Amino acid sequence: MTAPFLPDPLLLPPTTLSGPGRIHALFEAVQDWGPRGLLVIGKSAVKSGLSTTLTQLAPPGISLDLAVHVGGEPTLDQLELLLQSIRSRPIDWIAAIGGGSVLDLAKAAAGLAHAHQSPTAYFNGAPLEVDPLPFLAAPTTAGTGSEATVNAVLIHPGDRRKKSIRDPRWMPRCVILDPNLLIGCPAPVIADSGMDALTQAIEAYTSRYASRLSDSVALESIDLLHRHLPPVYSGAATDDDRLGLLSGSYFGGLVLSMARLGIVHGIAHPLGSLYHIPHGRICALCLPLALELNRTSLGEKYDRLSCALEGDAISVIRSHLSAFDIHSPLEGVDISDSLEFIVKETLASGSCQANCKTVTRPDVLTLLRDLGCRLPTMTAERSSIHRETS
Ligand SMILES: [Fe+2]
């Protein structure tokens, strides 16, 4: 079957501003949203003085409260606390300036500000009955693409399950891509988040829900990330490199919404959450292994991917891992106690359902083994892999 022309529905942020210094247009962008705003920021925006500058720039008649994310990937507990604070006084809109965690936390807070049930209920699949507050997103890392998606990834603090709450109404109403916001981002964060963006673009490109439009945008995203990530990582970047990287990540968010993802994001969620590995790093490590797994199903798409990456796709990705000093923290780690949880969460994830090849338990075990994990009863599992794949 040929790929559809367009995703259905096609969801895009209504307004995107981009260029050096565009963050200063924030108050113009929200001027019709009401006088009472909440700015959710990461620690980097506080440290750089950006939050102070923006507070001072607030025009007369606009009241702006601040909420600083404590760090780490957002949990349902953190979301509940933020919602309590939002509901304690009237808020008309929310703006977020930060990395993917800040954006996801703030997006979920905007989405659930007037919700009737607890965040956990929606995390467990309850349908959303209310509209979100207007939401503006300005990323300070180039990675998750959250500024261009309709979902927010959250962690259940009890059992460490990591899942998205998603709703078509959650698309940010305005996005600001300001390359100046990337300045000062530490190199390991640039590498991890940039490889997350690259993984998302490649998984959307290879997804079973890909369309002509998502393929075009995904290939542009892959080209931009491949070209601009190395100079930004090495500190030799121009404004053009930083905006290219931010744009590649934004395109990656768009295609994630259009075509969904694949096995890497299916397995990265339980592994990252259980072993406290940054999301982008575990995605980066799984990406070449997943391409090996999917290669036969990809056909000529693998060649077009290689063309965008200017070399054999798997080899180029491995050379990026080496250049960015990304190594598996799971080498030799015994995952016996968590194996069944990892397999169950991976196979049940929406990302895995979108993988171009149907993913089986032996596929997941192969991937874990190739990551360097120690599996229980290795011999028995290997013979089971052999039986099920032969
Ligand atoms: Fe991701």
Side-chain angles (χ1 to χ4, degrees), residues 25 53 78 99 102 149 163 180 189 205 214 233 287-288 310 351:
T53 307
Q78 291 169 348
V102 174
T149 71
K163 268 198 340 193
N180 292 347
V189 177
Y205 180 65
S214 67
Y233 173 78
L287 180 58
E310 301 178 289
S351 294

Side-chain angles (χ1 to χ4, degrees), residues 196 200 265 279 283:
D196 179 26
Q200 291 176 172
H265 276 77
H279 172 70
C283 284

